[in-house]
Coordinates of all heavy atoms in Angstrom, one line a residue:
Chain B
V102 N -14.9 17.7 54.7 CA -16.0 17.4 55.5 C -17.3 17.0 54.8 O -17.9 16.0 55.2 CB -16.5 18.8 56.4 CG1 -17.8 18.6 57.1 CG2 -15.4 19.2 57.3
L103 N -17.5 17.6 53.6 CA -18.5 17.2 52.8 C -18.4 15.7 52.4 O -19.3 14.8 52.5 CB -18.6 18.0 51.5 CG -19.5 19.2 51.5 CD1 -19.4 20.0 50.2 CD2 -20.9 18.8 51.7
M104 N -17.1 15.3 51.9 CA -16.9 14.0 51.5 C -17.0 13.0 52.6 O -17.7 11.9 52.5 CB -15.4 13.9 50.9 CG -15.2 14.5 49.6 SD -16.3 14.0 48.2 CE -15.7 12.3 48.0
E105 N -16.5 13.4 53.8 CA -16.5 12.6 55.0 C -18.0 12.4 55.4 O -18.4 11.2 55.6 CB -15.8 13.4 56.0 CG -15.6 12.7 57.3 CD -15.1 13.7 58.4 OE1 -13.9 14.1 58.1 OE2 -15.7 14.0 59.4
S106 N -18.8 13.4 55.3 CA -20.1 13.2 55.8 C -21.0 12.4 54.8 O -21.9 11.6 55.2 CB -20.8 14.4 56.1 OG -20.6 15.4 54.9
I107 N -20.6 12.5 53.5 CA -21.4 11.8 52.5 C -21.0 10.3 52.8 O -22.0 9.4 52.7 CB -21.0 12.2 51.2 CG1 -21.7 13.5 50.8 CG2 -21.4 11.1 50.1 CD1 -21.3 14.1 49.5
E108 N -19.8 10.0 53.1 CA -19.4 8.6 53.2 C -20.0 8.0 54.5 O -20.2 6.9 54.6 CB -17.9 8.5 53.1 CG -17.4 8.6 51.7 CD -15.9 8.5 51.6 OE1 -15.3 7.5 52.2 OE2 -15.3 9.5 51.1
G109 N -20.1 8.9 55.5 CA -20.6 8.5 56.8 C -22.1 8.4 56.9 O -22.6 7.7 57.7
A110 N -22.7 9.2 56.1 CA -24.2 9.1 56.2 C -24.9 7.7 55.7 O -24.3 7.1 55.0 CB -24.7 10.2 55.2
A111 N -26.0 7.6 56.5 CA -26.7 6.3 56.2 C -27.3 6.4 54.8 O -27.7 7.5 54.5 CB -27.8 6.0 57.2
S112 N -27.3 5.4 54.2 CA -27.9 5.5 52.7 C -29.0 4.6 52.6 O -29.0 3.5 53.2 CB -26.9 5.1 51.7 OG -26.7 3.8 51.8
P113 N -30.1 5.1 52.0 CA -30.3 6.4 51.4 C -31.0 7.1 52.5 O -31.8 6.7 53.2 CB -31.1 6.1 50.2 CG -31.9 4.8 50.5 CD -31.1 4.1 51.4
S114 N -30.6 8.4 52.4 CA -31.3 9.2 53.5 C -31.5 10.6 53.0 O -30.9 11.1 52.0 CB -30.5 9.3 54.7 OG -29.3 9.9 54.6
F115 N -32.3 11.3 53.7 CA -32.4 12.8 53.5 C -31.2 13.6 53.4 O -30.8 14.3 52.5 CB -33.4 13.4 54.5 CG -33.6 14.8 54.4 CD1 -34.4 15.5 53.4 CD2 -33.0 15.7 55.3 CE1 -34.5 16.9 53.3 CE2 -33.1 17.1 55.2 CZ -33.8 17.6 54.1
C116 N -30.4 13.2 54.5 CA -29.1 13.8 54.7 C -28.2 13.7 53.6 O -27.6 14.6 53.0 CB -28.4 13.2 56.0 SG -28.4 14.3 57.3

Side-chain angles (χ1 to χ4, degrees):
Chain B
V102 171
L103 270 175
M104 289 302 288
E105 182 189 297
S106 51
I107 284 175
E108 281 173 60
S112 74
S114 68
F115 172 80
C116 254

